[in-house]
Amino acid sequence: HQASQVPQANMYVNEPSVVSQSRIEETDFNIAKIIILAIFSIGTSVAMMYEFGEFLSSFQYAFLWFGVITLLMFLVLNILNTFFIKRFSILAGIVLLEAGLPVLFFMDRIKTEAWPIAIGFTLFFIFILWGMQRGRSHLANSVKIKFFSIAKTVTPKLVTGVLIGVSVIFYMNCFSVGGACVEGLGREVLNQTLTASTPIVNIWVPNVSANQTINEFFKQFALSEMARVQSEGGLTSAINLKSGISDLPIEVREKIVNQFSGEIRKAAEEKIGPLNSKASVRNEAFRLISEYIGKFSDVTKSLISIGLAILFFFSLKGFGFLLYWFINFIAFLIYKLLIAANFAAVDYETRNREFVILP
């Protein structure tokens, strides 16, 4: 009986064992610091969505700048959470609140427009958590903590998740039932487009602008056209000027300009419909575009609005790609500052492998 127990004893003696050379365990044991990180992370998520929603409702640029600042803070905090918070369940809970609480802004529309909210903020949750988990895996398989190497695996997914959330805000505020920014956004886009194109238009038609009334615009257009045709030796309309218009008396000149501008306006109205003489060019342009879009079916309008929301997302995504380095740099500075302030500390699991904890 004693002899039969010897091999069993040897088996236990020869089993390898892992001996940790760290003074402290790589785990979450400072709950207070985790709560602080969670409050700031969730708070910046809610603030970010609120600021962007208010901007799209009012077009006051102060909301936009605060939104950008809170967006940057949100990304930085979630990068830091990837390094500091060890337990996946805690990270998942924080991200769930980051994605879930902004939904409260749409409680009045959640019964009628639940699908964009559900899809958008579910994707927001998935991408944020996916990015953080990729960073955690990279960190677990690294001997040394190479901050930028780990952060660059986290940031793209975080940015994608955030921009999906912002795109949902854009869609809900601009295109859904009860959306408030359709007219404001449309006017802003049209105004910026007209302002940007004015110098180009002035190359062919000097001194016209979208701020002029319809009458002023066509008069200026008529003067420009008459000057051009005069230099070519005649006019193709009923008016025929062989000499410069500036040499004519003011009354005659005004009559000729009004007659010619009236002909041009009549030709334009035959194609686009009646125009309000006293309205500005930009207001009439917006009215005509609105009336044209208003003739579309509800299905077509829905497809256009979804397409614009997707275009909005990819436009921001292309621009955000250029800022990854800046986001990671700010996160790195705060990471070093927190370590210097003893909010976090770097230790060693073995003689070589580093990890960071919240002591």
Side-chain angles (χ1 to χ4, degrees):
H1 179 70
Q2 292 178 350
S4 63
Q5 291 181 342
V6 173
Q8 185 178 1
N10 290 337
M11 180 182 67
Y12 288 109
V13 170
N14 294 330
E15 274 190 353
S17 60
V18 177
V19 179
S20 174
Q21 296 180 350
S22 173
R23 294 170 299 153
I24 49 181
E25 186 180 358
E26 184 182 8
T27 188
D28 297 311
F29 57 87
N30 195 322
I31 301 301
K33 291 181 180 178
I34 292 174
I35 291 174
I36 290 172
L37 290 172
I39 290 172
F40 278 100
S41 300
I42 297 166
T44 52
S45 175
V46 174
M48 170 181 64
M49 297 302 177
Y50 171 80
E51 297 292 344
F52 282 123
E54 287 298 304
F55 168 70
L56 291 170
S57 298
S58 66
F59 282 90
Q60 296 182 21
Y61 282 92
F63 289 117
L64 176 62
W65 291 118
F66 280 117
V68 171
I69 292 170
T70 51
L71 185 151
L72 177 61
M73 292 172 60
F74 175 82
L75 294 172
V76 168
L77 284 165
N78 279 278
I79 292 172
L80 296 177
N81 288 345
T82 303
F83 286 87
F84 294 154
I85 299 177
K86 305 304 176 183
R87 203 172 307 168
F88 179 78
S89 59
I90 295 177
L91 274 179
I94 292 173
V95 176
L96 183 62
L97 290 174
E98 289 173 347
L101 289 182
V103 174
L104 295 176
F105 296 134
F106 306 107
M107 290 302 295
D108 58 331
R109 282 178 272 169
I110 201 162
K111 291 183 179 179
T112 57
E113 301 256 7
W115 68 266
I117 299 173
I119 294 174
F121 285 100
T122 298
L123 291 175
F124 176 83
F125 169 77
I126 290 172
F127 274 93
I128 298 295
L129 194 60
W130 183 9
M132 298 172 78
Q133 182 57 27
R134 287 186 65 184
R136 282 162 46 86
S137 299
H138 195 91
L139 182 62
N141 293 318
S142 299
V143 175
K144 296 287 185 181
I145 298 177
K146 297 180 180 179
F147 186 91
F148 288 104
S149 178
I150 296 167
K152 74 179 183 181
T153 66
V154 180
T155 306
K157 301 301 180 197
L158 294 185
V159 171
T160 299
V162 166
L163 295 184
I164 289 173
V166 173
S167 297
V168 172
I169 298 291
F170 171 75
Y171 177 84
M172 295 301 295
N173 278 275
C174 294
F175 302 117
S176 71
V177 177
C181 83
V182 177
E183 183 173 348
L185 177 66
R187 286 187 181 278
E188 186 69 17
V189 171
L190 181 62
N191 289 343
Q192 294 299 326
T193 302
L194 292 174
T195 301
S197 62
T198 296
I200 300 173
V201 174
N202 287 160
I203 295 174
W204 290 278
V205 188
N207 302 321
V208 297
S209 76
N211 293 322
Q212 295 171 332
T213 65
I214 293 295
N215 270 347
E216 292 169 343
F217 177 85
F218 280 111
K219 281 184 179 180
Q220 194 59 52
F221 187 89
L223 284 170
S224 174
E225 185 68 8
M226 291 167 72
R228 181 185 67 79
V229 177
Q230 176 191 335
S231 66
E232 296 175 358
L235 288 172
T236 57
S237 69
I239 304 169
N240 189 16
L241 290 179
K242 298 296 183 182
S243 60
I245 191 172
S246 59
D247 297 333
L248 298 173
I250 295 177
E251 296 81 2
V252 177
R253 182 173 59 194
E254 187 72 19
K255 183 178 179 180
I256 293 172
V257 171
N258 287 338
Q259 184 178 348
F260 190 39
S261 66
E263 291 182 5
I264 298 173
R265 176 179 168 177
K266 183 179 179 181
E269 287 182 330
E270 288 176 356
K271 295 183 177 180
I272 62 176
L275 297 171
N276 184 351
S277 301
K278 297 181 180 180
S280 67
V281 172
R282 65 177 71 248
N283 285 342
E284 282 297 273
F286 180 77
R287 179 184 65 79
L288 290 170
I289 293 172
S290 298
E291 290 178 355
Y292 178 75
I293 295 175
K295 297 176 183 177
F296 294 163
S297 66
D298 291 340
V299 174
T300 304
K301 289 177 184 177
S302 297
L303 292 174
I304 290 174
S305 62
I306 293 171
L308 288 173
I310 293 172
L311 180 63
F312 177 79
F313 165 76
F314 281 108
S315 299
L316 293 180
K317 179 69 173 173
F319 178 73
F321 173 78
L322 302 175
L323 299 178
Y324 287 172
W325 67 271
F326 179 72
I327 297 167
N328 293 340
F329 179 70
I330 297 298
F332 175 74
L333 291 180
I334 297 177
Y335 171 81
K336 287 295 186 182
L337 180 63
L338 292 176
I339 290 177
N342 203 33
F343 184 86
V346 176
D347 209 312
Y348 294 87
E349 183 180 44
T350 64
R351 294 185 180 182
N352 294 318
R353 183 180 177 273
E354 294 178 332
F355 62 86
V356 60
I357 58 166
L358 301 174

